[in-house]
Amino acid sequence: MKRSIAIEPYRVAHRGPVPGTVPITGSETIPPALPANEALLGRLTNPMQTTAVSLERGRDRYGIYCQVCHGPEGLGNGPVAPALANTVRNLTEPRMRARSDGWMYAVIANGFGALMPEYRSKLSRDDRWHIVNYVRVLQGVAR
Ligand code: HEC
């Protein structure tokens, strides 16, 4: 009790649930965004239409959860980027524009690489898709 182990969620990327964990909100499993899963993730359909409501929600959530690293325009230049040795991805580069919605959804849910944490525990499924829609706007990708 006196010396408990404090878990700092943002310092532990990819910490999966303990084996045997029972989901409390359904049993969603999303494979991590890895080249091997690219085709599979590409088949995920974004259930959220790009409406004004979706974009507003996406903008709001992006501002809270992504902007610190990826910057307001998605250029990878948020205030935290220097602390991550400027490895934060520029979401507007052609390679990122070409990624599927499902891929980006998996990146948000599971995190990416060693430095981007998971957001599945912080963003609902709907919110992840709203963010995908909003990032498409930052990318200038027509829908
Ligand atoms: C703590 C900083 C941080 C936050 C917050 C963050 N990211 Fe990232 N993100 C990164 C870094 C660093 C990379 C590059 C990781 C690598 O290449 O190893 C990255 C990569 C990505 C990629 C590219 C993956 C690929 O295909 O190469 C996408 C898409 C992305 N982030 C979207 C988001 C979205 C959307 C959010 C908000 C939900 C978000 N990120 C929040 C740091 C962050």
Side-chain angles (χ1 to χ4, degrees):
M1 289 294 276
K2 202 171 170 189
R3 286 223 234 122
S4 62
I5 304 164
I7 304 286
E8 297 187 45
Y10 283 103
R11 303 195 73 165
V12 196
H14 303 310
R15 209 166 131 273
V18 191
T21 301
V22 179
I24 54 165
T25 53
S27 54
E28 187 193 28
T29 47
I30 313 148
L34 298 173
N37 297 329
E38 196 163 355
L40 183 70
L41 293 171
R43 291 208 296 273
L44 283 182
T45 317
N46 186 341
M48 294 300 154
Q49 302 260 324
T50 304
T51 58
V53 172
S54 171
L55 292 179
E56 178 49 30
R57 180 69 181 171
R59 191 193 61 75
D60 176 75
R61 296 293 103 175
Y62 179 93
I64 294 171
Y65 292 101
C66 318
Q67 190 168 314
V68 283
C69 288
H70 288 280
E73 285 104 36
L75 301 176
N77 60 355
V80 173
L84 299 178
N86 293 313
T87 54
V88 178
R89 189 79 74 246
N90 176 347
L91 300 178
T92 67
E93 67 187 40
R95 196 158 51 104
M96 292 302 117
R97 293 161 58 131
R99 296 279 197 230
S100 66
D101 282 13
W103 175 279
M104 208 188 299
Y105 178 81
V107 170
I108 297 171
N110 296 322
F112 195 81
L115 294 175
M116 178 172 158
E118 58 83 22
Y119 286 93
R120 71 167 67 214
S121 58
K122 289 144 197 92
L123 290 163
S124 70
R125 275 177 249 188
D126 288 4
D127 280 348
R128 291 175 222 148
W129 290 119
H130 291 315
I131 290 176
V132 170
N133 285 340
Y134 181 67
V135 169
R136 293 302 186 206
V137 171
L138 293 179
Q139 292 174 329
V141 173
R143 308 298 296 252

